[in-house]
Amino acid sequence: MRRTRTRLARRIDIGDLAFRVITEARADAADLPTIVLVHGIGMSSRYFARLHDALRPHSRVVSLDLPGFGAMPRPARAVDVETMAAALAEVVASLDAGPAVLVGHSMGTQWVVELGRQRPDLVSRVVAIGPVADVAHRSAAAQARALAVDTFLESPATNWIVSTDYLRCGVPWYVAQLQPMLTYPIEERVRELTMPLLVIRGEHDPIASARWCRLLRDSAPVASLVHIPGGPHNAQRAAPRAVAAAILAHG
């Protein structure tokens, strides 16, 4: 029997911060976990599409476009990680789905870790894919160099999504969010998590090194680390089934 799926896209405003929330679930998904996908700096929900589809048979999947990214309006002010996470917590609370699995990629890992720290009642697990900012790359120049290396590892389709999303984001808003990304001490914040942390790293990720990901795993009270064979920084696009399997297996 073919299962009916429901897809809903809506905008949620938290003060002056606007979020786009894309929810998709099977009609019989009431007892399935809710998994929330949070993109990184400059990006949008587009690069989560493959992971979204891989998770959909097993969960209620929610993909987000954060303020200033994708097609969402840019705030008139810089937004630090703590403020963005607090607003994101209100979005997650509005899902009315009980504690959710929060999956962040790149800078998205900072927002989901901080949300887990601020509102543990809303979060069952935190998943950090390609977490930043690696202490070996904690400057704008070092991040740019690592990102440039990564472009040679990604597929042409992924590079197209990344480049066009960066253009949509625009330089001013990207730069406004870069400083909070470089100064947020994620290696300290994971120590305060009361829920399990799963770190996922593409085997060849030049942005989140193996040593850095082991440091985050070892810093959190309860944590696991999964390496995706051959994966680049955007492992969720290069190997969506493997990433989905890791997320579901560590439930």
Side-chain angles (χ1 to χ4, degrees):
M1 180 182 296
R2 184 176 179 179
R3 295 187 175 96
T4 302
R5 293 194 296 264
T6 301
R7 182 181 177 90
L8 174 66
R10 59 191 174 118
R11 171 171 164 167
I12 297 179
D13 289 78
I14 308 298
D16 64 342
L17 302 179
F19 296 80
R20 182 169 185 251
V21 181
I22 305 163
T23 305
E24 189 164 10
R26 297 189 337 223
D28 60 346
D31 296 327
L32 296 178
T34 295
I35 301 179
V36 181
L37 306 179
V38 181
H39 62 74
I41 187 171
M43 298 306 299
S44 73
S45 58
R46 292 197 304 165
Y47 79 158
F48 271 130
R50 290 178 177 174
L51 179 59
H52 185 115
D53 288 346
L55 291 168
R56 186 175 58 197
H58 313 284
S59 61
R60 176 193 184 201
V61 189
V62 180
S63 292
L64 303 180
D65 286 331
L66 275 64
F69 302 111
M72 303 313 296
R74 299 180 188 93
R77 59 189 173 101
V79 182
D80 61 26
V81 172
E82 292 79 4
T83 301
M84 185 73 83
L88 182 58
E90 294 193 46
V91 173
V92 173
S94 75
L95 300 175
D96 194 26
V101 179
L102 297 187
V103 179
H105 174 260
S106 200
M107 189 177 183
T109 64
Q110 298 182 347
W111 292 318
V112 298
V113 164
E114 182 61 26
L115 195 164
R117 173 176 171 264
Q118 292 182 13
R119 292 292 306 273
D121 58 304
L122 297 176
V123 185
S124 61
R125 284 183 293 131
V126 171
V127 180
I129 306 172
V132 297
D134 191 328
V135 290
H137 305 135
R138 200 160 281 180
S139 71
Q143 284 286 313
R145 287 193 296 270
L147 185 62
V149 171
D150 187 63
T151 61
F152 293 99
L153 305 174
E154 305 283 358
S155 70
T158 296
N159 282 331
W160 171 255
I161 290 174
V162 171
S163 61
T164 54
D165 270 354
Y166 277 8
L167 286 172
R168 287 200 296 171
C169 167
V171 173
W173 183 238
Y174 186 95
V175 171
Q177 291 303 109
L178 184 60
Q179 189 59 29
M181 186 187 84
L182 294 174
T183 57
Y184 182 75
I186 190 172
E187 69 278 13
E188 298 175 13
R189 298 294 185 256
V190 296
R191 300 180 190 276
E192 302 177 45
L193 293 178
T194 57
M195 70 290 297
L197 170 69
L198 171 62
V199 181
I200 298 178
R201 174 184 180 266
E203 179 187 13
H204 301 309
D205 187 347
I207 295 171
S209 68
R211 179 207 53 76
W212 166 244
C213 290
R214 287 194 298 269
L215 172 65
L216 292 182
R217 177 200 61 191
D218 295 342
S219 296
V222 179
S224 303
L225 171 60
V226 172
H227 292 275
I228 303 301
H233 185 56
N234 291 291
Q236 78 283 355
R237 266 195 58 82
R241 292 183 181 179
V243 171
I247 294 170
L248 296 168
H250 286 78

